[in-house]
Amino acid sequence: MKLAWIAALIGLSAANGANAQTLEYDCDTQAEHFSVLKAVQQGPSYKASGSISPRAIFPSKTYATIGVIDFEPDDKSWRARLGLTALVIKKREVVMATLEITRAGKSEEPVMLGSIEDFRMGGTYPISVTLGDSGGTATIGSNTVPIKLAAQGNINVSIICSGGEFLFTNLNIGG
């Protein structure tokens, strides 16, 4: 009888441990500021996933309002950044999803995922980035694009927001 009780406790602890790997991050920063939640993954495969919900825009003339997942190796030779940019254009809130790649300090043309009408303030969208030694994928909402980057070694995975509020839920940045 005691063995069954101990086994049940171990099973419950393991289930609670699995749930503890995901978190909720209410990333809320004023205009001209940013906030970062960071983890380091060691590979050979790398992943960050969860849901993102744009909640508020604090307009700035200098910086866009963003909520992103950012992957960058220790040597900073490249960066992959997937997320939402929110702007106020002619008193209308506009939200768009982009994948931005930087190699050797040079930014490539951002890839837009879906259309502007696909994303709205207050909506909640799945978001994930996966990478490995032969590339990976970026997904936001129902849109997926390939990422042509080889990831090896330590990769810094960051959740970043700037100039607004983004709620990240079911967030797993530990791999």
Side-chain angles (χ1 to χ4, degrees), residues 2-112:
K2 285 185 180 181
L3 225 50
W5 180 76
I6 291 170
L9 274 178
I10 291 171
L12 182 60
S13 296
N16 287 339
N19 291 338
Q21 292 178 6
T22 64
L23 57 106
E24 182 174 291
Y25 180 42
D26 188 359
C27 193
D28 186 356
T29 59
Q30 293 301 313
E32 313 292 327
H33 294 84
F34 69 94
S35 182
V36 177
L37 178 67
K38 188 175 186 179
V40 177
Q41 295 183 18
Q42 297 178 339
S45 60
Y46 310 87
K47 182 176 184 176
S49 63
S51 294
I52 183 172
S53 178
R55 300 294 178 126
I57 300 172
F58 306 131
S60 164
K61 292 183 180 185
T62 309
Y63 301 103
T65 297
I66 63 166
V68 299
I69 294 177
D70 190 88
F71 279 49
E72 185 175 45
D74 283 341
D75 68 5
K76 300 187 185 298
S77 59
W78 57 265
R79 184 181 74 211
R81 178 176 278 185
L82 173 69
L84 297 175
T85 301
L87 307 165
V88 177
I89 301 173
K90 296 182 181 179
K91 298 183 182 182
R92 180 175 167 231
E93 294 177 330
V94 175
V95 181
M96 58 190 145
T98 58
L99 171 65
E100 299 173 24
I101 303 291
T102 303
R103 296 175 205 262
K106 295 181 182 179
S107 296
E108 297 178 2
E109 185 71 27
V111 175
M112 190 160 170

Side-chain angles (χ1 to χ4, degrees), residues 116-140:
I116 291 173
E117 291 81 29
D118 289 348
F119 303 97
R120 301 197 187 287
M121 295 299 292
T124 301
Y125 309 99
I127 184 170
S128 71
V129 176
T130 60
L131 282 175
D133 59 4
S134 61
T137 59
T139 300
I140 191 162

Side-chain angles (χ1 to χ4, degrees), residues 150-164:
Q152 299 172 345
N154 288 343
I155 303 295
N156 299 295
V157 179
S158 302
I159 304 301
I160 304 169
C161 77
S162 176

